[in-house]
């Protein structure tokens, strides 16, 4: 009874994040200031998207990318990434300028046309199977989709991890 109780690790904060349906966070990272960056998926138009390049839920399942302040009390930015089919984010990292790199999967569910938001001039803008991997770069402010490309062939591919080197190579 004379020794202090020490519980390790120390919980810095805990919070809820999401909308009125199913929301999943698959990966997270932090920057040097303690901001948290999260990626996952939602099937909900009430997911708290704000200050991002896409704040409108499309359909089925959209990937989400969210930045929380160091205290976990406010969303700095939160954006959807997807089209009318199903998309999910599974990996997230930052470069030296705090641009956000995200990777995941996009699935052609047969609803409408396949419309994952690739950007002009990227490596691959056409789905090759039912499910292709994707990689995207988002500006440090969350307001610009710098690039988004698919990666895949005739079979199904999913990106579960990524790294960016000091030169910005993925």
């Amino acid at each position: 009874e004379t020794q202090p109780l020490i519980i390790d690790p120390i919980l810095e904060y805990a919070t809820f994040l999401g909308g009125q349906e199913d929301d999943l966070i698959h990966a997270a990272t932090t920057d040097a200031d303690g901001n948290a960056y999260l990626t996952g998926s939602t099937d909900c138009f009430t997911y708290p998207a704000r200050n991002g390049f896409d704040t409108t839920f499309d359909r089925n399942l959209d990937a989400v990318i969210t930045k929380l302040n160091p205290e976990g009390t406010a969303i700095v930015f939160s954006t959807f990434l997807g089209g009318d089919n199903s998309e999910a984010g599974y990996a997230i990292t930052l470069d030296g300028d705090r641009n956000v790199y995200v990777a995941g999967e996009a699935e052609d569910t047969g609803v409408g046309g396949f419309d994952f938001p690739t950007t002009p001039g990227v490596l691959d803008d056409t789905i090759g199977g039912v499910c292709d991997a994707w990689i995207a770069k988002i500006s440090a402010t969350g307001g610009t989709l710098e690039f988004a490309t698919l990666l895949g062939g005739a079979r199904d591919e999913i990106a579960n991890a990524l790294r960016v080197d000091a030169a910005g190579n993925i």
Side-chain angles (χ1 to χ4, degrees), residues 9-107:
I10 296 171
L11 178 63
E12 296 291 331
Y13 68 82
T15 187
F16 290 100
L17 177 66
Q20 297 173 333
E21 297 295 331
D22 297 328
D23 309 296
L24 299 170
I25 298 300
H26 296 290
T29 193
T30 57
D31 63 24
D33 295 329
N35 295 292
Y37 298 80
L38 315 167
T39 190
S41 59
T42 186
D43 64 357
C44 180
F45 68 91
T46 60
Y47 187 88
R50 58 183 67 103
N51 304 324
F53 66 87
D54 182 359
T55 57
T56 303
F57 177 76
D58 291 300
R59 179 189 242 161
N60 290 332
L61 194 67
D62 271 2
V64 291
I65 300 94
T66 301
K67 177 182 177 181
L68 299 176
N69 71 352
E71 297 77 29
T73 58
I75 293 172
V76 178
F77 70 79
S78 187
T79 188
F80 295 109
L81 177 61
D84 285 340
N85 290 269
S86 292
E87 300 83 19
Y90 294 123
I92 190 165
T93 193
L94 308 173
D95 66 16
D97 295 324
R98 297 190 183 174
N99 294 301
V100 182
Y101 294 77
V102 188
E105 72 171 305
E107 181 180 348

Side-chain angles (χ1 to χ4, degrees), residues 76-151:
V76 178
F77 70 79
S78 187
T79 188
F80 295 109
L81 177 61
D84 285 340
N85 290 269
S86 292
E87 300 83 19
Y90 294 123
I92 190 165
T93 193
L94 308 173
D95 66 16
D97 295 324
R98 297 190 183 174
N99 294 301
V100 182
Y101 294 77
V102 188
E105 72 171 305
E107 181 180 348
D108 186 354
T109 60
V111 176
F114 182 77
D115 59 350
F116 181 80
T118 57
T119 51
V122 294
L123 181 66
D124 186 1
D125 63 0
T126 305
I127 192 161
V130 172
C131 178
D132 271 1
W134 56 262
I135 297 175
K137 177 182 177 184
I138 300 164
S139 65
T141 64
T144 304
L145 178 62
E146 300 288 336
F147 74 79
T149 187
L150 295 167
L151 296 169

